[in-house]
Structures are given as C-alpha cells and as structure tokens.
Amino acid sequence: MSSIGTGYDLSTSTYSPDGRIFQVEYANKAVENSGTVIGLRCKDGVVLAVEKLVQSKLLVPGANRRIATIDLHAGVATAGLLADGRHLAGRARDECENYREQYHSRVPMKILAERLANYFQAYTLYSSVRPFGLSALVAGWDAPATVEGTDELVEKRSEGKPALYMVEPSGTFWGYRGIAIGKGKQQAKTEIEKLDLDNLTAEEALVDAARIIHSVHDDTKDKDFELEMTWISPKSDWRHQLVPKELAQEAERKAKEIIDQANEMEE
C-alpha cells in the first residue's frame, strides 16, 4: 500500500522482521556514494577536508561547496545529497542563533551535535518524510565565556579546545579525534589512525588532510575533484574559515610529493 502523494511503500519506514529500517540503510548508501570527507581534531584546532567530485567540466570552480560555516566558531561538512546538506546547514545556523538568544553565549559543540542528531532522528519516525541522505561532520572551538551583567559575550579563545562530532542519518552522533565519511572512509580511517593528532598542529594537519584525500581518490574510476579545506586555528583567530589559498595550494603540493615518493619506493 502506498501513501497518498508520497509515492513509496509505507512499510519501508517501519521495522523489518529482523529489526532493520531500510530507509535509513538506503540513506547510508547515499553517503557511501559521495566523495570522501575527513575531519582532524588537532592540539590547537580542527581541519575539515572534502573530496568534492566535479560532475562536469563546465561547472564554475568553487560552486556548491560541501563545507558551510554555521557560526563564527563552528562549521559543518557533509557527505551525501548536496541539497540535504544545504538544508542541514540552515538548520544548524538556526540552532546556533536560538542558543545565543536564550543563553547569551555561543552553543557548545556537543549540544549543537546533539540537537542536529535529534533533528536527523525525527526524520526516521514518520512515513510522510524520509531520512536525511547524508552524514555530517560538525567541528568547532569551545571557548570558556562569561557574561558581565550584559548580553555582551566575553570569550577566552586561547583557553578553549577543539571539538569534532559525526552525525549519522539514523540520528546517532559520536565525538572523534579524527574521522572519515564517504566512499573512501575505510582507507582514510586507516591513514588517520597513523597520525599523532594530540601533538599535530592545525597547520601541519593541512598536509595530512590533503594527502589522505588525494590517496583515497581513484583517478581511474572517479571523476575529477576539487579539494575543499577549512580550519579553526590560531591563524584563523579560532574561527571557522576557508584555508587561505596560498596555504591550501602549498599543502596540496607537499601532499602530492609525499604520495609520489611513496609510490616510487613501492616500485
């Protein structure tokens, strides 16, 4: 039996005999078909990197970004359906604004991740909606703050700490030191596990992020891609920003050199 106007079987939004929800599993497939996204939580910041597959050579470079700034101190990177990612970024901005209006401070990253996870989970409950076809990495900088009798926010950014969370289509969220989502996640996770993230600076992590994205990209099977990188670091004043073009290009150049050297040693 199909629901009126939805065009899909209502039974797909309920449990199967063995306790599975197929719509959520289909959403995970959409994530696995997307480009690889990685997040690295370093000792002084966070780096987000995305393998944005270019579907046509006619596309304008830099269009349809998969990383969005949702507050001065926070950003989100998504793997999966692009339109769902834009909707999620808008919802995340609303959550940040609502928290600031109510508590007169920036939202802690764990609370933001939890609110987004609850939003994801709500879309698995009803037959009139579908689960989000994406997973998201939520990164930010949690700085201690005080309110001195007014609505003015007083932050001690240098005393803060980086935070990184991953939210799944099911509504589950986890905190990570380093994580990868998308079709190259297994190989990327293996490379991330080799990094000493506790002693790695955000600037040093740019090279590793670029190297991992390039190493998981298959030139023979995959389409061309753009490397998107953002960071939160002392050089960005602990704000979520695009990595400066010169730094990004230098990190990508060094990453390719490392990959080439590794390939030569294998031969």
Side-chain angles (χ1 to χ4, degrees), residues 22-251:
F22 292 118
Q23 284 286 310
V24 173
E25 295 187 17
Y26 299 153
N28 285 320
K29 290 294 183 182
V31 175
E32 293 173 3
N33 290 332
S34 180
T36 306
V37 180
I38 66 172
L40 303 177
R41 193 190 76 186
C42 313
K43 70 176 183 180
D44 64 347
V46 185
V47 172
L48 295 175
V50 174
E51 174 199 14
K52 188 182 75 175
L53 300 176
V54 179
Q55 304 299 329
S56 171
K57 294 183 179 179
L58 300 178
L59 289 174
V60 177
N64 293 325
R65 293 191 178 277
R66 286 192 171 271
I67 308 180
T69 296
I70 54 178
D71 204 342
L72 290 176
H73 71 305
V76 60
T78 60
L81 301 181
L82 182 62
D84 285 13
R86 287 199 296 266
H87 176 81
L88 177 68
R91 175 71 183 198
R93 293 185 184 109
D94 290 341
E95 293 289 356
C96 293
E97 183 178 358
N98 292 339
Y99 190 93
R100 181 181 285 106
E101 289 178 354
Q102 185 171 2
Y103 298 103
H104 307 293
S105 65
R106 292 180 180 177
V107 58
M109 297 311 302
K110 184 176 181 180
I111 292 178
L112 177 60
E114 184 177 10
R115 291 187 176 188
L116 293 180
N118 290 338
Y119 190 59
F120 271 50
Q121 196 262 344
Y123 274 71
T124 69
L125 299 177
Y126 309 104
S127 61
S128 58
V129 295
R130 63 164 176 78
F132 281 90
L134 59 83
S135 289
L137 300 186
V138 184
W141 184 263
D142 284 329
T146 59
V147 180
E148 300 178 347
T150 67
D151 291 345
E152 183 180 355
L153 181 64
V154 180
E155 286 191 327
K156 301 178 181 178
R157 296 180 188 169
S158 60
E159 298 178 12
K161 59 181 180 179
L164 176 65
Y165 294 87
M166 190 266 285
V167 185
E168 298 179 339
S170 64
T172 305
F173 79 101
W174 308 88
Y176 285 96
R177 296 164 61 201
I179 186 60
I181 53 178
K183 62 182 177 180
K185 66 178 182 180
Q186 293 300 336
Q187 184 180 348
K189 284 180 181 179
T190 301
E191 293 297 321
I192 292 173
E193 289 172 355
K194 299 176 183 178
L195 302 178
D196 183 13
L197 293 173
D198 290 337
N199 297 309
L200 197 67
T201 66
E203 188 168 357
E204 293 169 341
L206 293 177
V207 177
D208 289 309
R211 175 181 59 81
I212 292 171
I213 291 294
H214 276 279
S215 64
V216 301
H217 180 78
D218 191 340
D219 293 327
T220 61
K221 297 180 181 178
D222 298 334
K223 299 179 180 180
D224 293 337
F225 78 99
E226 289 181 18
L227 175 61
E228 294 183 9
M229 288 199 297
T230 62
W231 66 349
I232 301 168
S233 73
K235 286 195 173 182
S236 71
D237 196 23
W238 293 282
R239 299 186 181 196
H240 180 257
Q241 295 179 353
L242 284 171
V243 175
K245 187 176 181 180
E246 297 77 14
L247 271 178
Q249 290 177 341
E250 179 66 13

